[in-house]
Amino acid sequence: MTCALLFRLLLLAALAAPSQGKHLGPTSRLRYSRFLDPSNVIFLRWDFDLEAEIITFELQVQTTGWVGLGVTNRYTRVGSDLVVGGVLPDGNVYFSDQHLVDEDTLEEDGSQDAELQGLTEDAIYTTMRFSRPFRSCDPHDKDITSDTIKVLATYGLDDTLKLDRDRTFIKSIFLLQIVHPDDLDVPEDTIIHDLEITDFLIPEDDTTYACTFLPLPIVSKKHHIFKFEPKLPEHNETMVHHILVYACGNASVLPTGISDCYGADPAFSLCSQVIVGWAVGGTSYQFPDDVGVSIGTPLDPQWIRLEIHYSNFHNLPGVYDSSGIRLYYTAQLRKYDMGVLQLGFFTFPIHFIPPGAESFLSYGLCKTEKFEEMNGAPVPDIQVYGYLLHTHLAGRALQAVQYRNGAQLRTICKDDSYDFSLQETRDLPYRAEIKLGDELLVECHYQTLDRDSLTFGGPSTINEMCLIFLFYYPRNNISSCMGYPDIIYVAHELGEEVSDPVEGMMAMNNVEWTPENIKKAEKACKEAQQMVIIKTIDELVENTTGWIPEIIPTARGPCLESSGGKVEPQDKTPAGFKAEPVALSGSSTASLRHLPLAALLFGQGALSWLLANLQVGD
């Protein structure tokens, strides 16, 4: 056997080795689905291979004309990435990777980065299925990331490729949902328990925070809550902004009835450890199979505070509500008891955002060094598996960054395309470990170009918040860890003479909010000493101080060049460039990523040489 023949055999064996990812062929079942328009004319299915960084879409539209699917941004359709296709009357198909050069005009990309897997038409539907890389090397293609993605879907009544605004829809979707509910176990002994406000008359005010205290299920032995979902009367869906369930310490003396959470009676703001939460755009959430909320032991909470935020912007009278949270629990115990840690900017009274800001960053610092002292017992390493991001209408992006021994360790979670109307609990693709002594920084990005007065932190939807809830195990007693800047320092940097925090906040109204002063305020807030407030389930509070560390941006991943066209000259060698997978004769799916054996035997450099110099044929 010659050396060249041996190499060819080894190479063929390597190409035949299975991928460690989830390879999606033309007939593979796609796990995720959603209607993209109010009339349920456009139906999207999708799935993805995280290892190969390939996503597959199947678009089904009630039309016998052309269909299109792509990605756009928050502010304009110009530059949107759109894959279009259809079936001509003679049965021939057409398919193309394009982009919008203005609001209505399509132009074909120089690089064709979408791979067609199927295109059919019958008397009712046109169905187009294709795959594309998360990140191609074509600057006209939008990246598929773990951010919220603005999906653009459109179609025509015939095969003339012309956009019609009445048949074009944009929907925010979290495409890279790591865990699908069908992948999780549902115990046979599942019990349902509802936590709800009954027949509550929603005030005619713009904003209402209604709170009541309710018992958790009474059980004779330990159980685990493993899933929750919102209970929303259909006619009130648009008025309910969020629902939070807080665990109460068993020593708490709780009031009865329903009242303003943050009003005259401070007892209705007792209990601060979130155990589950829902916000606008969210759906049900099931915990991973190894974690659950423990109930039924002496250490577990027996009562909760149910908080519902209503936004009655139209001041409608006579609206009654019975919203709440439905819990699913079981006697089949999971391995870990879970908890929720609230991070971010301590909401009031210090938080402010200038008007007319193209961009304004706020920071909230958490220092974990006191957690064990406050917990009253050793605190094991915190294993974070999920998160929920929360700002109000001015929020544009959030991230939580972890530091250890003064160095940035990782970005735990982020969304650079945050959408207020899509707030949902999301799973991490890994378990992020937090050790005692680590620092956690939350950064929130706001835009207030549509506002002519200061925006303050507060409960109203027109106020702002900057919060991230980390879902973790094993549970400890720490409920929140949040920070805010020294407002006296900030005021002095803006040329205002103040002597206490109240004066400092009032002085913000005296500032002329020019672009220069907006940047000066942002810089001062970042450079000011942070006051860190840590709170436990039993309302124990400790304060400490710290400084905002720098955030090193995460580098973009490598791009994937297509063989179906030429990359634009300005993007021929982008950072992290990666070559197009090489296909064997008769195969369109073999790729460098599917070569573990060859890479092991020869190394990637030798493997590249082999692919370039050896002809593998019949």
Side-chain angles (χ1 to χ4, degrees):
M1 182 181 294
T2 66
C3 184
L5 180 58
L6 174 62
F7 274 17
R8 289 168 64 186
L9 290 173
L10 286 170
L11 188 57
L12 283 168
L15 287 166
S19 166
Q20 298 302 307
K22 176 182 172 62
H23 177 68
L24 299 168
T27 60
S28 301
R29 183 179 75 89
L30 305 182
R31 295 176 298 164
Y32 304 96
S33 62
R34 194 145 318 166
F35 282 105
L36 301 183
D37 67 309
S39 302
N40 293 349
V41 170
I42 305 175
F43 188 62
L44 177 67
R45 294 184 180 90
W46 77 94
D47 210 334
F48 50 89
D49 182 337
L50 271 181
E51 181 183 291
E53 297 184 356
I54 297 289
I55 189 165
T56 299
F57 294 106
E58 184 176 280
L59 184 69
Q60 185 178 73
V61 186
Q62 293 181 32
T63 184
T64 55
W66 68 277
V67 298
L69 182 76
V71 178
T72 187
N73 64 44
R74 185 187 194 104
Y75 304 106
T76 177
R77 296 192 313 192
V78 176
S80 297
D81 168 19
L82 194 67
V83 174
V84 299
V87 181
L88 294 168
D90 62 7
N92 288 318
V93 303
Y94 53 95
F95 175 79
S96 178
D97 182 5
Q98 307 205 3
H99 63 277
L100 280 165
V101 294
D102 57 37
E103 288 284 338
D104 303 297
T105 306
L106 282 167
E107 183 176 286
E108 189 171 78
D109 292 1
S111 174
Q112 293 294 295
D113 300 285
E115 179 181 339
L116 181 63
Q117 293 188 352
L119 223 172
T120 61
E121 180 185 295
D122 58 26
I124 301 175
Y125 297 107
T126 295
T127 303
M128 177 175 69
R129 178 166 172 146
F130 67 93
S131 63
R132 56 151 290 183
F134 287 1
R135 183 186 174 217
S136 79
C137 297
D138 184 350
H140 293 306
D141 292 342
K142 306 291 186 185
D143 290 355
I144 302 295
T145 67
S146 58
D147 299 330
T148 298
I149 301 295
K150 293 276 188 184
V151 175
L152 184 150
T154 183
Y155 67 98
L157 300 180
D158 56 30
D159 293 302
T160 304
L161 287 179
K162 183 177 181 182
L163 262 66
D164 185 325
R165 298 191 181 201
D166 292 335
R167 289 189 287 275
T168 301
F169 302 91
I170 296 172
K171 192 174 187 68
S172 291
I173 303 178
F174 179 53
L175 289 174
L176 302 186
Q177 181 180 341
I178 302 301
V179 180
H180 190 279
D182 291 348
D183 301 331
L184 300 171
D185 294 334
V186 177
E188 293 181 358
D189 66 342
T190 297
I191 308 168
I192 292 174
H193 183 82
D194 291 336
L195 302 169
E196 60 188 1
I197 288 180
T198 305
D199 294 329
F200 174 68
L201 178 60
I202 301 175
E204 297 175 34
D205 303 327
D206 289 352
T207 299
T208 299
Y209 275 72
C211 277
T212 191
F213 295 87
L214 300 168
L216 284 168
I218 299 172
V219 290
S220 59
K221 62 179 182 179
K222 181 172 180 173
H223 285 62
H224 269 138
I225 299 168
F226 67 90
K227 178 182 176 180
F228 67 89
E229 64 188 17
K231 284 194 68 181
L232 299 171
E234 187 174 343
H235 60 284
N236 292 344
E237 284 182 348
T238 59
M239 297 178 70
V240 179
H241 171 281
H242 77 238
I243 305 173
L244 291 174
V245 176
Y246 297 89
C248 296
N250 291 332
S252 303
V253 178
L254 307 175
T256 59
I258 303 172
S259 187
D260 187 341
C261 304
Y262 308 105
D265 187 350
F268 279 88
S269 64
L270 288 173
C271 312
S272 59
Q273 188 173 58
V274 174
I275 54 174
V276 298
W278 171 90
V280 176
T283 55
S284 65
Y285 178 73
Q286 185 168 334
F287 305 127
D289 289 338
D290 56 348
V291 299
V293 178
S294 178
I295 56 174
T297 80
L299 297 177
D300 296 329
Q302 299 173 20
W303 286 75
I304 59 93
R305 171 165 66 96
L306 179 68
E307 171 184 297
I308 302 182
H309 175 188
Y310 296 99
S311 293
N312 188 1
F313 285 133
H314 297 294
N315 308 118
L316 300 175
V319 179
Y320 288 84
D321 184 62
S322 297
S323 294
I325 292 286
R326 170 163 288 178
L327 304 177
Y328 295 77
Y329 66 101
T330 175
Q332 296 182 35
L333 299 183
R334 275 96 191 289
K335 187 175 181 180
Y336 301 109
D337 297 338
M338 62 148 288
V340 180
L341 177 63
Q342 181 176 327
L343 306 175
F345 197 118
F346 195 75
T347 301
F348 38 83
I350 301 300
H351 197 189
F352 74 91
I353 302 158
E358 173 73 36
S359 172
F360 189 83
L361 299 176
S362 294
Y363 299 91
L365 180 67
C366 169
K367 300 184 71 174
T368 66
E369 58 194 24
K370 290 192 174 185
F371 276 18
E372 192 158 276
E373 173 190 338
M374 296 184 67
N375 189 57
V379 175
D381 291 341
I382 295 169
Q383 308 292 332
V384 180
Y385 67 85
Y387 60 97
L388 173 66
L389 311 176
H390 183 67
T391 76
H392 290 172
L393 297 172
R396 296 294 181 266
L398 300 88
Q399 64 175 326
V401 184
Q402 181 182 3
Y403 300 82
R404 183 172 296 160
N405 300 323
Q408 182 172 323
L409 184 63
R410 64 166 67 91
T411 298
I412 296 176
C413 58
K414 74 178 187 69
D415 191 340
D416 286 335
S417 302
Y418 175 80
D419 188 337
F420 171 82
S421 64
L422 184 66
Q423 301 180 53
E424 55 190 353
T425 303
R426 299 175 176 178
D427 295 292
L428 291 175
Y430 61 93
R431 305 286 166 97
E433 185 175 80
I434 299 172
K435 294 182 175 293
L436 288 184
D438 288 355
E439 293 188 352
L440 307 171
L441 179 64
V442 172
E443 178 191 74
C444 291
H445 177 192
Y446 300 97
Q447 187 183 85
T448 57
L449 290 174
D450 58 343
R451 304 188 183 193
D452 56 14
S453 60
L454 279 165
T455 299
F456 291 103
S460 170
T461 306
I462 60 173
N463 296 137
E464 264 309 329
M465 290 186 173
C466 174
L467 302 174
I468 293 182
F469 300 90
L470 297 183
F471 290 69
Y472 73 91
Y473 65 84
R475 181 186 69 187
N476 58 56
N477 290 325
I478 308 300
S479 59
S480 63
C481 181
M482 298 189 287
Y484 64 90
D486 177 359
I487 193 65
I488 297 176
Y489 172 86
V490 175
H492 287 168
E493 290 297 296
L494 291 169
E496 300 293 330
E497 292 299 323
V498 300
S499 57
D500 60 52
V502 174
E503 287 184 1
M505 282 304 293
M506 293 177 61
M508 296 302 108
N509 289 303
N510 302 331
V511 177
E512 181 183 357
W513 290 111
T514 62
E516 293 74 20
N517 280 338
I518 290 171
K519 285 301 175 187
K520 187 182 291 186
E522 180 183 272
K523 183 173 183 287
C525 288
K526 185 176 181 182
E527 293 176 347
Q529 188 177 52
Q530 279 265 315
M531 312 300 170
V532 181
I533 301 175
I534 309 167
K535 199 170 185 179
T536 71
I537 187 173
D538 295 312
E539 309 298 322
L540 175 66
V541 178
E542 282 277 355
N543 297 335
T544 185
T545 59
W547 303 93
I548 299 298
E550 288 295 324
I551 296 177
I552 302 171
T554 303
R556 292 175 70 192
C559 66
L560 182 65
E561 184 182 5
S562 171
S563 58
K566 193 172 183 180
V567 176
E568 272 66 3
Q570 68 270 28
D571 202 41
K572 276 203 170 183
T573 53
F577 173 80
K578 177 164 56 182
E580 161 70 0
V582 178
L584 293 180
S585 174
S587 170
S588 62
T589 58
S591 87
L592 289 178
R593 294 176 231 195
H594 299 164
L595 295 173
L597 177 59
L600 180 64
L601 289 172
F602 309 121
Q604 286 288 18
L607 179 58
S608 299
W609 182 89
L610 283 170
L611 289 170
N613 292 279
L614 292 180
Q615 293 187 4
V616 183
D618 297 333

